[in-house]
Amino acid sequence: MSRYFMQDTRLAAFEREMMAKPGFGSRRFKDDDDSAQEESVRRGYSKRQVIEMGFPMADYDFPHGEGSFTGTLVMKRWNKQNGLICYFDTDDGYKYKLCVWFKHDEKRAYRPSKSDIDISYIEIGTRLTATYGLTRNGKSKWINVKVLEVPA
């Protein structure tokens, strides 16, 4: 055991917090009731994990223009800018990907701009409808999402 652990110093308090389970003390962001439900969902994979799984990332493209699609969420991957890239197989046979970033507002979630749904806690295999548009510089922007069916 560390020599700081039982002392009354800032380093000791920090060390005790780091040794505690995630979600304990000041590291907790959600209520205990919410965390028990959400721990079973994988929030996202790293690029290395996705490559090791053999997932064909190159087959998926960002949608062009404005519109919406209905499809199945097949993979979630973290990017270098702490965004979450979501891969979809659409009902039309297309393969799309959309990005979502963390919103630092009162909801504190990875969600599209006009949605209250935290995408990081949606299970892979969920069917949903996604609405997308264009940013000022012509890139795809995820605007809204509606969950249709959660996998059993």
Side-chain angles (χ1 to χ4, degrees):
M1 185 171 300
S2 169
R3 62 187 175 138
Y4 297 111
F5 188 75
M6 298 304 290
Q7 296 177 4
D8 190 23
T9 64
R10 279 212 225 151
L11 185 57
F14 175 73
E15 191 173 56
R16 284 192 299 269
E17 183 177 336
M18 290 295 105
M19 291 174 64
K21 66 178 184 170
F24 178 79
S26 63
R27 296 174 70 188
R28 183 179 64 226
F29 290 106
K30 298 190 178 277
D31 294 335
D32 292 335
D33 299 341
D34 294 342
S35 63
Q37 172 192 350
E38 295 167 349
E39 285 178 6
S40 63
V41 176
R42 179 69 185 227
R43 295 185 67 194
Y45 294 94
S46 69
K47 186 174 183 177
R48 182 185 319 167
Q49 289 171 325
V50 172
I51 290 170
E52 288 173 357
M53 286 185 228
F55 185 76
M57 291 184 291
D59 294 349
Y60 292 80
D61 294 317
F62 289 103
H64 299 287
E66 298 177 350
S68 65
F69 62 84
T70 301
T72 305
L73 177 65
V74 292
M75 181 59 69
K76 297 185 291 185
R77 175 179 77 83
W78 300 111
N79 69 8
K80 290 181 182 178
Q81 292 84 20
N82 293 327
L84 188 62
I85 304 173
C86 298
Y87 297 85
F88 301 94
D89 287 340
T90 67
D91 293 348
D92 303 346
Y94 294 107
K95 295 176 181 273
Y96 287 138
K97 61 183 175 181
L98 290 170
C99 291
V100 66
W101 283 269
F102 187 77
K103 304 284 190 228
H104 293 278
D105 57 3
E106 68 278 353
K107 294 179 180 117
R108 300 188 55 83
Y110 287 91
R111 58 184 179 84
S113 59
K114 295 182 180 177
S115 176
D116 292 334
I117 299 173
D118 189 345
I119 301 300
S120 66
Y121 286 109
I122 291 181
E123 293 182 51
I124 291 177
T126 301
R127 286 188 35 78
L128 46 85
T129 299
T131 305
Y132 57 90
L134 292 174
T135 62
R136 282 182 265 163
N137 58 3
K139 293 184 179 182
S140 294
K141 178 182 181 179
W142 196 351
I143 298 173
N144 207 345
V145 65
K146 180 180 177 186
V147 175
L148 302 175
E149 182 181 339
V150 179

